[in-house]
Amino acid sequence: MLRLALKRSLRLGPAVSDTPSAAMVASRGYHERVVDHYNNPRNVGSFDKEDPNVGTGLVGAPACGDVMKLQIKVDEDSGKIVDACFKTFGCGSAIASSSVATEWVKGKQMEEVLTIKNTEIAKHLSLPPVKLHCSMLAEDAIKAAVKDYELKKAKAAPKQE
Amino acid sequence: MWNRRKHLLLSSLSLLRHISSTPLLRLHPLKPSPLLSPSNSFLPPIDSQLRNNLLDLPRCGFPRNLSSSNSCSSCWNCGAVGPTSGAFLACGSCGAVQPVDSSVDYFQIFGMKKMYEIEEGDLEGIYKDWQKKLHPDLVHSKSEKEKGFAAEQSARVIDAYRTLKNPLSRALYLLKLEQIHVDEEKTVSDPDLLMEMMEMREAVEEAKDTQSLYEIQSKVKKKLDSWSNSFKEALNKQDFDSAVNCTQRMKYYERALEEITKKL
């Protein structure tokens, strides 16, 4: 068990904890979920910005110079988010937060994703207080993406008539 | 008439006798009269050591160990008064390291005016000069108290040097001195700014060789310089909102430069 944890930590980098209790003790390291999202990021990529079914949320944290882009693909009939992707330049926590966000919004209604709170993301990733703003960034990115889609839809609507 | 003169003489003689017999000034042959030694006149009889300490007070009357900035600081070791201008980090007379006075800002430590444009070339020389006087390694033979002062002062000078050397940190420090509080947690959604930064970072990611990295680096440096000037102007006009905006942009450019450096 200990050897396995040691092997994993050597492979993945410094300060990696295997068990939740070890995570609490090794408080200076990233939580294993953060490392997982960093090494195996889900949904990295870009959609076509001009696509009318795509909403793009672009947010930044000036204090650390992070940029986060989160895109959603919405099924216009059902209002359901069918796909999501992200591109984030920032620390491990920011990348993991946006990765988690794309996972959580998939298959949900737009109104529903607006209720996703940064505290839930932070809890899921066991983010330390100093990294809470990364989860806030992810929440803002989701909201921005939804807002962008709705703006596009509103602009497109008069043309269809 | 003679009788009157005789009477006058006798009365004056008796008067003189009276005066000499009544002591108006009790003059002890050995002790000095209180009226004749002015330095002691208004002080109660005190221990000579204490009197010496009291006489060493600087003119403004502050007690010795309280070092406020500039004119009223005096050395805890020898009592010499500190400089009237500039930071009092080490005593000019006895060399004793002084306790940290946090009211002295970084610009004062380097003897520079509190403004964005400084002579960056001068910083290193002044920094080294201070460390020759303050570094903990140089005080290993001194008291624990002074070693403690040296460790704190030396660390503060290092912080000051680093802060003033880098333009962005200098800018942020100036804003802090002006009591401008920047909400670090606030996210920005200015699409133009973010799009530019996104594209910049993507370009750095996708750069295939060092040549293209150098090209991007010089472009980013130019932008950083131009925003740096904008900051200076905004600060001069006391337009703090613009100034903060400039520092945010500068931060993004600096991050991009860091990433380029990592890749190189």
Side-chain angles (χ1 to χ4, degrees):
Chain A
M1 179 72 170
L2 193 66
R3 215 183 307 137
L4 188 64
L6 203 65
K7 273 191 186 168
R8 276 200 189 174
S9 66
L10 288 169
R11 207 166 49 217
L12 290 171
V16 172
S17 48
D18 201 24
T19 59
S21 55
M24 282 190 270
V25 170
S27 56
R28 288 184 73 202
Y30 284 110
H31 191 270
E32 60 176 3
R33 282 190 182 142
V34 176
V35 180
D36 182 32
H37 277 275
Y38 186 81
N39 285 326
N40 311 304
R42 294 59 154 151
N43 313 314
V44 176
S46 271
F47 298 144
D48 177 14
K49 222 177 140 183
E50 308 303 324
D51 185 335
N53 296 325
V54 168
T56 305
L58 193 55
V59 292
C64 40
D66 288 350
V67 203
M68 192 186 280
K69 181 171 79 172
L70 193 144
Q71 289 179 302
I72 51 173
K73 202 172 256 176
V74 187
D75 174 41
E76 55 186 297
D77 298 320
S78 58
K80 212 166 154 194
I81 296 171
V82 293
D83 202 4
C85 69
F86 81 98
K87 213 170 195 185
T88 297
F89 289 104
C91 65
S93 301
I95 293 169
S97 297
S98 39
S99 179
V100 163
T102 55
E103 280 195 309
W104 286 4
V105 300
K106 272 190 189 172
K108 290 204 171 86
Q109 296 290 358
M110 280 201 297
E111 300 77 30
E112 212 184 328
V113 304
L114 289 176
T115 63
I116 294 176
K117 290 248 104 226
N118 69 309
T119 43
E120 294 162 358
I121 300 174
K123 195 174 171 188
H124 180 77
L125 294 170
S126 303
L127 294 182
V130 62
K131 291 291 182 185
L132 282 178
H133 68 276
C134 296
S135 59
M136 193 67 226
L137 202 62
E139 185 194 315
D140 287 346
I142 296 171
K143 292 189 159 74
V146 168
K147 193 175 170 189
D148 180 59
Y149 175 78
E150 304 209 306
L151 267 170
K152 267 185 175 170
K153 226 171 88 173
K155 273 188 195 163
K159 285 180 194 169
Q160 281 171 359
E161 286 164 42
Chain B
M1 195 165 90
W2 176 243
N3 282 341
R4 222 180 5 194
R5 273 189 192 168
K6 196 175 167 185
H7 181 72
L8 207 61
L9 196 61
L10 281 169
S11 57
S12 57
L13 274 168
S14 68
L15 188 62
L16 273 167
R17 223 182 292 126
H18 184 72
I19 287 169
S20 62
S21 66
T22 52
L24 286 174
L25 294 168
R26 290 186 186 278
L27 293 169
H28 193 281
L30 294 175
K31 281 184 192 168
S33 158
L35 293 173
L36 294 177
S37 41
S39 62
N40 288 347
S41 57
F42 300 104
L43 291 172
I46 47 174
D47 181 55
S48 59
Q49 178 65 34
L50 183 58
R51 191 178 69 203
N52 285 336
N53 291 354
L54 287 172
L55 288 174
D56 280 340
L57 279 177
R59 280 187 214 120
C60 56
F62 279 119
R64 183 187 279 189
N65 284 329
L66 183 69
S67 53
S68 52
S69 60
N70 301 337
S71 54
C72 289
S73 314
S74 62
C75 174
W76 58 270
N77 191 38
C78 67
V81 177
T84 47
S85 66
F88 187 45
L89 308 183
C91 179
S93 301
C94 67
V97 181
Q98 304 300 307
V100 167
D101 178 4
S102 42
S103 68
V104 173
D105 65 51
Y106 293 166
F107 290 96
Q108 283 172 305
I109 291 176
F110 280 85
M112 293 180 173
K113 278 195 200 152
K114 204 172 80 178
M115 47 190 240
Y116 185 58
E117 268 184 336
I118 59 163
E119 290 296 327
E120 284 186 28
D122 290 345
L123 279 174
E124 195 170 345
I126 300 171
Y127 166 69
K128 285 183 178 165
D129 283 341
W130 271 129
Q131 293 294 22
K132 280 179 201 163
K133 293 175 189 160
L134 301 171
H135 200 275
D137 287 349
L138 301 167
V139 296
H140 62 267
S141 58
K142 300 208 179 159
S143 63
E144 284 306 311
K145 178 164 97 165
E146 199 173 345
K147 280 188 203 168
F149 292 159
E152 288 171 2
Q153 284 286 20
S154 184
R156 193 139 195 276
V157 169
I158 291 172
D159 278 343
Y161 175 65
R162 284 187 188 152
T163 305
L164 295 184
K165 196 161 169 69
N166 175 263
L168 177 59
S169 53
R170 194 187 325 139
L172 291 169
Y173 183 67
L174 274 165
L175 287 175
K176 184 179 154 194
L177 289 177
E178 295 286 336
Q179 315 282 337
I180 305 296
H181 174 68
V182 183
D183 185 4
E184 298 221 321
E185 311 242 322
K186 206 168 146 220
T187 55
V188 294
S189 41
D190 174 7
D192 295 326
L193 161 69
L194 291 171
M195 209 56 229
E196 185 197 329
M197 300 308 165
M198 198 79 194
E199 282 167 8
M200 195 192 311
R201 295 292 293 270
E202 279 171 352
V204 171
E205 275 286 303
E206 289 158 16
K208 296 211 169 45
D209 49 39
T210 42
Q211 181 59 33
S212 31
L213 277 174
Y214 279 124
E215 279 169 24
I216 302 171
Q217 191 184 51
S218 69
K219 274 188 209 162
V220 176
K221 274 185 181 166
K222 277 194 192 130
K223 289 201 168 167
L224 185 60
D225 285 338
S226 118
W227 281 96
S228 177
N229 279 330
S230 304
F231 171 80
K232 187 185 72 186
E233 282 163 17
L235 197 65
N236 286 338
K237 283 187 242 167
Q238 305 255 306
D239 180 0
F240 295 122
D241 287 337
S242 299
V244 170
N245 196 27
C246 294
T247 56
Q248 287 176 349
R249 275 191 171 252
M250 284 163 73
K251 179 74 197 178
Y252 276 109
Y253 292 128
E254 281 228 349
R255 271 304 293 273
L257 287 173
E258 277 168 30
E259 290 299 314
I260 294 172
T261 312
K262 273 189 206 168
K263 269 196 105 171
L264 280 170

